[in-house]
Amino acid sequence: MALQIIDRRLAGKNKSVGNRERFVRRFKEQIADSVRRAVSQRSIRDIEQAESITIPRKDIGEPVFHHGQGGIRDVVHPGNADHVRGDRIERPKGGNGRGSQASDSGEGEDDFTFTLTKEEFMQIFFEDLALPRLLRTHIGENPQWKSRRAGYSQDGIPNNLAVLRTMRGALGRRIALGKASHRELMALQLQLDALLAQDDGTSEVVAELQRRIDGLAARIGRIPYLDPIDLRFRARVQVPVPNSQAVMFCVMDVSGSMDEGRKELAKRFFILLYLFLTRHYEKIDIVFIRHHTQAAEVSEDQFFHSTESGGTVVSSALVLLDQIIRARYPQGDWNVYVAQASDGDNFPNDSGNCRNLLVDRILPLVRYFAYVQVTEVEQNLWEEYSQLLPLFSHFAMRKVSEPGDIYPVFRDLFKKEGVQV
């Protein structure tokens, strides 16, 4: 019968997963820098693709051992037909180039090129990022379970045997069962010693005392050192653990003042946010809201590809946002997050309404609110929102004016606590 071998290893032919992972860990900082540079040059459709990155040769140098100066060294060199002892040899001319510097002679070394897979690229891309102030507040229909200590039980497996507790119980049982017998034995022993001091020990009273002493000693000896009722096992029970339910509201301005370049920046930001949320959190709702003079909850496809446009009334989106939160996402059960992108242009009398809506209705309900303006010009909406920064620690504002700014801003908004950007 022919032997058939099926190779199900993750590593393909002539590849080593272990060596690859070790290389990524060792040069993590250089790879992360290359990933950041690559993101700013990608289009929206290519944001989740694999990438060939380049690491400078000087950054992957290996330490080597070599002989130091000084000491006594005996070396045997092969002879030659051109020089004898005492000749002075001129230094060779020309450069021995290394790196990327041009040279008309010598040899050079190119930078090291390394190809990251799609999974590796996205893992490094979103590393050290997390939703701020996330709390575990809800036990869902399919809760997660955690093992917790629950005292001791009389049944269990040998691995859970509590030896100290068992021996302590056995000692207490032996003391309780033998205490009266030990007390009586000591009294009889004292009587026997007194009688033996008066006669030669042949009387019937002495014999009777000796029989009683022997009986008590036998009774004490029959008390088992360890009994099954002494066994105690560490008990554990499964208890439900609250999980972190979260919802992210993506609010994008699609009014006429948002030209194609600004919409492209906003879409890039929300695509990064969408990829980050779907890859890092299994249970999270994402609500998409587009607005011009009117706001509407839309699907993912409509949010990124619809061409609808119009005037600008930002408060319409905030009113819809507040209604959805109060209707579907109670504060006690959900961690609510909001990311809003706009060019800051708004109907003049509406920006104050937006600020009031945030202060009175929305910010008290959310864990974090991030506003991204896709232009450098500070318009009336930016001025109104700026008044909220000293009042609410969970409110953040940033500006993005070109594709290269998106990743640093995104990383700054959603970095883990204590991580340097």
Side-chain angles (χ1 to χ4, degrees):
M1 181 177 179
L3 178 63
Q4 183 178 7
I5 299 177
I6 301 176
D7 187 357
R8 300 186 184 276
R9 295 174 298 178
L10 295 178
K13 185 178 180 181
N14 298 327
K15 294 183 180 179
S16 172
V17 173
N19 290 340
R20 184 182 183 87
E21 292 178 348
R22 187 160 48 249
F23 178 84
V24 172
R25 287 196 305 269
R26 181 168 184 177
F27 302 103
K28 189 174 183 179
E29 182 177 352
Q30 291 86 348
I31 293 175
D33 290 338
S34 299
V35 168
R36 297 188 188 103
R37 290 193 299 268
V39 169
S40 62
Q41 302 171 1
R42 288 189 170 195
S43 64
I44 291 179
R45 295 182 178 180
D46 299 332
I47 198 69
E48 203 180 1
Q49 300 301 319
E51 179 71 19
S52 294
I53 62 174
T54 300
I55 302 176
R57 174 69 64 174
K58 62 182 180 64
D59 290 339
I60 59 174
E62 296 286 347
V64 296
F65 289 98
H66 58 83
H67 291 285
Q69 299 295 327
I72 300 175
R73 299 170 57 193
D74 295 329
V75 181
V76 177
H77 296 285
N80 65 87
D82 299 328
H83 305 286
V84 296
R85 185 171 182 174
D87 288 349
R88 300 181 66 86
I89 304 174
E90 295 184 358
R91 184 183 299 275
K93 297 181 180 179
N96 292 321
R98 298 177 64 88
S100 59
Q101 298 298 325
S103 174
D104 59 354
S105 61
E107 296 180 355
E109 293 184 3
D110 295 331
D111 291 338
F112 180 76
T113 300
F114 180 70
T115 301
L116 290 174
T117 65
K118 172 182 173 181
E119 292 299 324
E120 290 172 337
F121 183 86
M122 300 309 294
Q123 180 179 358
I124 296 174
F125 183 68
F126 292 121
E127 193 173 26
D128 297 332
L129 300 181
L131 289 176
R133 300 157 57 91
L134 186 65
L135 294 180
R136 299 180 181 271
T137 58
H138 179 74
I139 297 179
E141 297 179 357
N142 299 314
Q144 298 179 352
W145 298 90
K146 180 181 180 180
S147 179
R148 180 175 297 176
R149 287 287 302 272
Y152 299 92
S153 66
Q154 295 183 345
D155 300 319
I157 60 176
N159 288 342
N160 290 337
L161 179 64
V163 178
L164 294 179
R165 188 61 179 258
T166 297
M167 299 308 296
R168 186 188 307 167
L171 177 61
R173 176 186 53 79
R174 293 197 304 270
I175 292 175
L177 294 178
K179 186 67 175 179
S181 298
H182 276 289
R183 188 182 299 113
E184 184 179 357
L185 179 62
M186 292 180 62
L188 293 177
Q189 189 65 45
L190 291 176
Q191 294 180 21
L192 180 60
D193 293 342
L195 290 175
L196 290 176
Q198 297 176 3
D199 56 29
D200 55 359
T202 58
S203 64
E204 293 183 1
V205 177
V206 172
E208 179 64 21
L209 287 175
Q210 190 63 51
R211 285 194 298 272
R212 293 177 62 184
I213 289 173
D214 293 341
L216 288 173
R219 182 189 303 175
I220 294 173
R222 286 194 295 271
I223 299 176
Y225 182 79
L226 187 66
D227 194 87
I229 64 174
D230 301 328
L231 298 179
R232 292 294 182 272
F233 299 87
R234 291 182 291 273
R236 307 189 74 89
V237 296
Q238 297 292 326
V239 296
V241 178
N243 52 33
S244 54
Q245 280 193 150
V247 55
M248 173 64 76
F249 287 86
C250 300
V251 182
M252 182 167 63
D253 182 1
V254 293
S255 62
S257 61
M258 289 280 289
D259 57 23
E260 288 302 319
R262 294 176 180 179
K263 288 181 180 178
E264 181 82 4
L265 291 176
K267 289 179 181 180
R268 278 175 175 262
F269 175 80
F270 283 119
I271 286 178
L272 287 184
L273 181 60
Y274 178 77
L275 293 176
F276 164 63
L277 296 175
T278 54
R279 295 179 67 88
H280 277 65
Y281 301 95
E282 294 182 0
K283 298 180 180 180
I284 187 167
D285 285 3
I286 304 178
V287 179
F288 298 99
I289 297 176
R290 290 166 57 99
H291 75 88
H292 38 81
T293 55
Q294 296 178 349
E297 181 181 356
V298 296
S299 65
E300 174 190 340
D301 183 69
Q302 292 174 324
F303 184 82
F304 288 107
H305 302 106
S306 177
T307 58
E308 184 181 1
S309 183
T312 310
V313 179
V314 179
S315 62
S316 63
L318 299 182
V319 169
L320 178 60
L321 169 65
D322 177 58
Q323 294 174 352
I324 295 176
I325 292 176
R326 297 181 185 276
R328 288 157 37 188
Y329 301 102
Q331 183 183 14
D333 296 336
W334 289 83
N335 294 277
V336 181
Y337 297 88
V338 182
Q340 180 184 4
S342 173
D343 62 350
D345 186 25
N346 191 20
F347 187 70
N349 297 330
D350 187 58
S351 296
N353 296 334
C354 295
R355 176 175 53 81
N356 294 332
L357 281 170
L358 289 180
V359 173
D360 300 332
R361 304 285 296 177
I362 297 176
L363 289 179
L365 301 179
V366 304
R367 303 294 302 168
Y368 189 65
F369 192 110
Y371 172 69
V372 176
Q373 181 171 289
V374 292
T375 179
E376 282 292 334
V377 180
E378 297 183 1
Q379 304 197 53
N380 50 7
L381 187 62
W382 179 275
E383 295 174 356
E384 293 290 342
Y385 277 10
S386 299
Q387 301 176 27
L388 305 180
L389 288 176
L391 302 178
F392 299 94
S393 60
H394 59 293
F395 180 77
M397 300 172 59
R398 298 292 186 273
K399 293 179 181 179
V400 173
S401 58
E402 57 184 23
D405 298 335
I406 293 178
Y407 181 76
V409 167
F410 182 83
R411 187 172 180 82
D412 185 31
L413 289 174
F414 296 101
K415 66 179 182 296
K416 291 182 181 178
E417 294 184 4
V419 175
Q420 299 293 331
V421 180

